[in-house]
Structure formats: structure tokens, C-alpha cells
Amino acid sequence: MSPRVTLSQAYRQGLAEEMRADPSILVYGTDLFERGGHWGQVRGLGDEFGRDRVRNAPISEAAMVAAGVGAAMNGLRPVVDLNFIDFAFGAMDEIVNQAAKVRYMWGAPMPLVIRGTNGVAGGGAQHNNSIESWFAHTPGLLVAMPSTPADTKGLIKSALRGQDPVIFLMHKLLAGLRGEVGGEEDLVPFGRGVVRRPGRDVTIATYGVTVSRSVAAAEQLAAEGVEVEVLDLRTVAPLDLELVEDSVRRTRRLVVVTEAPRHGGIGAEIAAALAESLHGELDGPVLRVGAPHVPTPHSPTLLAAATPTAEDIARAVRLAVPARAA
């Protein structure tokens, strides 16, 4: 049994192990060498690997990602740490029009990892965007959204051994979540989800911070006689639709849960895909739980109203299985 570490520590552990094994890996961003990043995600790596491999960068997201693209095209494995993925907006040409297309245009590897925190945790509209669907919509990008320390470590190790650009999203509210992690060769593959809670009546497909909220809703519904199966997709590009289909073939009902706005999001994609592939096997419409189509509020009261909770998830499940709910 491994010591329990936080999600941020799990990320650092996985990154450090890969940096020891592969001298081509380097990490750069703002406040990294001395401070270790805003969540301590690379704390101590500067002392171990030195300034050549843990670099402080000027606060220009476009310059950081552009340097990462160039480094990856010249034999290195850069990790660009943006701290907040919200500020990737200033580097979208470098991400979408360059990094994502290198393999398609020139057949060259692009082993670039861009890490950032995502999701809602207070602090206003500009630091609380849930924009995973932006990246997942772009061919050529892989997008990880782990919900546990073990998956965080396993996914970053997979990302650092791959050949494609990866957007690595760690939810702010999960930074201090503790759990066990795997060893140096315990990798988590992209595109493969897991069952977090088995059930027979209805399937919940989710990822990231809403996994624990979905499990909490499932435990609440179990007391009402409704057994919910909760799937953690772990990556949203690629999506493990096969896992979702296998589960829904048994439960015949699906609720998709995201923290991001429902409009145009990952939940809409999953709902459309399952409506196409299992149209004749569903006992009801696919339901979605997500945020309203509004900027993230600063007011705590409005923020609470705009953020999906376990109670919101339970309410949607009761609509999906009305005959069994109390």
C-alpha cells in the first residue's frame, strides 16, 4: 500500500519519476523554480533537476506554448505549466493551429504537455472557466481530466511517454484530495474509463470533479431503492464511449454529468453519440446535468446556483427512473 498523497503531489511524483528516466523532459512556466507553482505541483523539482530543466518563464502564455512547440519539434519533451488553463486563450493559435496539427501536416511527433487548473472554485469569471470541450473539439489534442491522485499520476506518466500534444487539466478543488498512487510503471491509458460504483438501474457518465458528486448522489439514491452505476471517463479526448455503451445496454438509462455549461459541451456529445448507437435500447431520453449557459458568477449565492451539485444529479436520476424513485 502506497502512502496517501494529494492530487498535486501525485502529479509531481509522476512528473519527477519520468524526468529521472528521460533527460529530454523539462518543465517551464511562471513561479515554478522557487515557488513550485501555484498549487505546489512542481515543488522541489527545481532543486533536484536545476534551472535547465525547471525554468521560470515570462508571463506570456503564447510565448510559453510557442517555445514548447519548438522544443517538442526539436527532440525535447516539454511540459508547459500555465497554472490556470483560462489563460490558454492567449495561446490558442499555438495550441490549436500549430501543436495539434504538426503530426498531420509533417508526420512529426509533438510530445508537448500543457498543464493547467480548470473548473469552478470561486474568484470570478476569468479564473473559473470549464473549457475542456474547446480542446476536445480540436483533432490532434488529447485531453486528460483525472479525478483521483492515482489517475493523475498514471495519466501524466502516459502523457510523457506519448507522441501527441496533451492538455492536462487538474480541477482546483481536487488539488488537496488524498489517495494512494501506483508505482513507476503503473500507467493509465488515455481513452479508457472506469466504473467507480456499480449499479443496475441507471448509468451516470462523468469525469473530473463531478465524479465524487455523482457517487454521493448514487449513495443517496441507493437508500431510495435506485442503484446507480457511476462511470469516470478520466479523459475527454479520446472518450471511452464503449464503456458507456456497455453500461447503458444493461441499465437502459443514461444521465451525463459535467461541471461545464450544458450548451455545446462534452455532455451533449455523449448524449448524441448514445442516441445514435443505442437508440432502440434506451428506455428514456438521455438527461444532462451541467452549468447554465452563463459566465461563472463571483457572488457566492449565484455561484452556488450555477454549479451542479449532488442534489442536482440525484434530481436528474429521479427523472430518469421515476417508477423506482421514492
Side-chain angles (χ1 to χ4, degrees):
M1 181 178 296
S2 73
R4 292 171 64 83
V5 299
T6 68
L7 191 140
S8 287
Q9 291 167 339
Y11 170 82
R12 182 171 71 242
Q13 193 176 116
L15 176 59
E17 289 175 0
E18 294 304 304
M19 290 180 76
R20 292 179 195 121
D22 184 349
S24 73
I25 299 173
L26 71 158
V27 54
Y28 53 91
T30 56
D31 297 327
L32 294 187
F33 189 89
E34 294 86 0
R35 185 180 177 186
H38 290 196
W39 282 264
Q41 70 272 15
V42 298
R43 185 173 297 150
L45 298 192
D47 293 337
E48 179 175 355
F49 296 103
R51 290 190 182 275
D52 284 345
R53 298 182 65 191
V54 181
R55 293 174 173 247
N56 289 330
I59 189 166
S60 167
E61 284 73 19
M64 283 187 262
V65 176
V69 171
M73 292 184 72
N74 285 278
L76 298 177
R77 286 185 173 274
V79 178
V80 176
D81 196 313
L82 299 181
N83 278 311
F84 293 91
I85 201 64
D86 312 75
F87 303 115
F89 296 149
M92 289 305 274
D93 181 71
E94 288 75 13
I95 295 171
V96 173
N97 221 18
Q98 308 301 332
K101 296 176 179 175
V102 165
R103 293 197 73 185
Y104 293 89
M105 294 173 67
W106 296 298
M110 179 44 59
L112 168 66
V113 176
I114 300 173
R115 193 213 76 92
T117 56
N118 75 306
V120 176
Q126 295 172 319
H127 288 71
N128 286 276
N129 291 288
S130 298
I131 54 172
E132 61 269 22
S133 62
W134 290 38
F135 302 113
H137 183 73
T138 301
L141 296 179
L142 306 183
V143 184
M145 296 198 68
S147 71
T148 69
D151 284 351
T152 301
K153 180 178 178 180
L155 283 167
I156 189 59
K157 293 174 77 72
S158 292
L160 290 168
R161 299 187 190 186
Q163 300 296 319
D164 295 294
V166 173
I167 307 297
F168 204 89
L169 302 176
M170 295 161 59
H171 198 285
K172 304 173 189 74
L173 294 182
L174 298 179
L177 176 70
R178 289 188 176 273
E180 296 179 8
V181 295
E184 294 192 11
E185 294 304 318
D186 289 322
L187 277 63
V188 174
F190 279 66
R192 191 172 302 172
V194 293
V195 178
R196 293 296 182 199
R197 186 188 188 283
R200 64 175 183 274
D201 296 325
V202 58
T203 299
I204 290 178
T206 187
Y207 53 85
V209 74
T210 46
V211 171
S212 60
R213 296 173 195 170
S214 296
V215 171
E219 298 299 331
Q220 178 182 341
L221 289 159
E224 302 173 15
V226 179
E227 290 297 331
V228 182
E229 183 150 290
V230 179
L231 309 181
D232 180 355
L233 298 173
R234 303 198 288 193
T235 67
V236 296
L239 275 171
D240 190 354
L241 292 176
E242 184 177 348
L243 177 71
V244 182
E245 290 175 358
D246 287 346
S247 176
V248 174
R249 282 195 175 94
R250 287 183 285 103
T251 66
R252 305 179 72 86
R253 298 176 178 88
L254 174 62
V255 176
V256 186
V257 179
T258 72
E259 189 183 62
R262 296 195 329 158
H263 182 88
I266 298 296
E269 174 60 29
I270 296 172
L274 268 290
E276 290 175 348
S277 63
L278 296 182
H279 175 70
E281 300 181 49
L282 293 167
D283 282 347
V286 178
L287 301 182
R288 291 176 291 150
V289 177
H293 198 210
V294 298
T296 304
H298 182 73
S299 157
T301 301
L302 294 176
L303 182 64
T307 305
T309 65
E311 288 70 27
D312 295 325
I313 299 166
R315 191 178 305 116
V317 171
R318 293 187 187 101
L319 290 174
V321 286
R324 295 196 180 200

